[in-house]
Amino acid sequence: MRTTYPRQAGRRGGARSWWGKAWQRAVEEAAFTESDLRAGRAVARRGEVGGISIGSGTVLAAVREGDDAWTVEVSVPELEDEQRRALVDVVAAATGRVAALLAGDLPHDLVEHAEEIGVELLPYGGELAATCTCPHALDPCPHALAVLAQTGWLVDADPLVLFAVRGLDRESLLADLHARTAPADLDGHASASAVDLADDVEVAADAVLRARRLVELLEAGADLPDGLL
C-alpha cells in the first residue's frame, strides 16, 4: 500500500522527537559532503519538495528547481516476513504501545526490544539509498537530501510512517494485531493477554477515528457533536 502526503510548507527548525532526530542523523550520515547537506536542507526549508509518496521500502517525490523538476526515489530495506512478525509481537508485548503509536509517540523501549531480537526499525545512513533524475555527480544529491529531510518531518510527526517505509503500514499493523487476538485457549476462551490487546487496539483505533472526524468538522467549520469530544 502506498500513501501520498500533501506537499509540506517550508519551515525552519529540526526534529522534535527522539526518533525524528535519529532519522535526521541518518540523513546526515548519508550525505557525501557538508555542502550537499546544507543545500538539501535549504531546498527542504524553502518548501520545494512536492507531495511525498511512501510505499513499502520506497519514498518518491518531485523537487522543483527554477523551471525544472526532478524526480527522487529513495530505497530503504524492508523488513523480512519473520522480522515483520517479530515487530508485531514487540508492539503487542506491552499494554499501551499500540495506543502510543497511534497517538504519534514511539516508545523508546519498543525500539530497544525490537533491536534485541534483531529488528532494526530506525535506519542508518548507509541504508538510505537515493537516486535523482538531475545531473548531479553523486547520490544522494541535494534534491534527494531535501526529500529525505522532509520525510524526516513526516516521521517526526507520525512514527508509523517509519513502520510503513520498513514495509508495515498502519492498516497492516492493525490487521496483524487483530489477528493475534483470534486464537483461543484450550477451553475455547480468548486468553487474557489477547483480550487486553484487542481492547487496546479497539480503543486506540476509535480514538484515531474520532480525531480524524474532529479535524474534518473543524476544517468544514461545522459544529462539533458532544459525542466526539
Side-chain angles (χ1 to χ4, degrees):
M1 180 176 177
R2 180 171 289 279
T3 301
T4 299
Y5 294 84
R7 178 181 173 184
Q8 301 179 87
R11 75 181 199 192
R12 294 191 174 275
R16 295 178 294 274
S17 66
W18 70 267
W19 60 90
K21 291 176 181 177
W23 179 279
Q24 186 175 308
R25 285 193 296 272
V27 175
E28 293 168 356
E29 293 170 0
F32 276 98
T33 67
E34 184 65 28
S35 60
D36 282 349
L37 182 61
R38 287 197 300 269
R41 285 173 171 167
V43 171
R45 289 168 179 167
R46 288 197 299 268
E48 295 179 353
V49 177
I52 296 176
S53 179
I54 303 289
S56 183
T58 63
V59 177
L60 294 170
V63 181
R64 292 185 315 180
E65 185 179 36
D67 295 330
D68 296 317
W70 310 107
T71 301
V72 171
E73 181 172 4
V74 179
S75 297
V76 183
E78 297 178 59
L79 298 177
E80 298 177 358
D81 289 344
E82 184 176 346
Q83 291 176 312
R84 170 178 160 151
R85 288 191 293 269
L87 181 57
V88 173
D89 288 342
V90 168
V91 173
T95 301
R97 283 180 176 174
V98 180
L101 287 170
L102 292 176
D105 182 30
L106 179 59
H108 200 281
D109 62 347
L110 186 161
V111 176
E112 290 180 335
H113 188 175
E115 290 177 349
E116 288 171 0
I117 59 174
V119 179
E120 296 287 344
L121 187 58
L122 293 165
Y124 55 87
E127 290 186 309
L128 302 177
T131 60
C132 180
T133 56
C134 80
H136 195 274
L138 297 174
D139 289 321
C141 67
H143 308 117
L145 291 168
V147 172
L148 285 168
Q150 284 210 5
T151 301
W153 299 355
L154 295 175
V155 170
D156 190 42
D158 181 4
L160 286 176
V161 173
L162 179 58
F163 280 64
V165 171
R166 287 298 200 184
L168 184 61
D169 61 44
R170 180 189 303 261
E171 288 72 19
S172 298
L173 173 62
L174 291 176
D176 289 350
L177 288 168
H178 274 296
R180 286 176 55 90
T181 68
D185 60 22
L186 295 178
D187 296 325
H189 301 292
S191 67
S193 60
V195 171
D196 289 342
L197 177 58
D199 290 343
D200 201 12
V201 173
E202 183 177 352
V203 170
D206 180 67
V208 171
L209 291 174
R210 286 172 177 269
R212 288 178 179 172
R213 181 60 179 153
L214 280 171
V215 171
E216 292 172 356
L217 291 172
L218 287 170
E219 290 178 345
D223 294 332
L224 301 182
D226 293 337
L228 278 178
L229 297 176

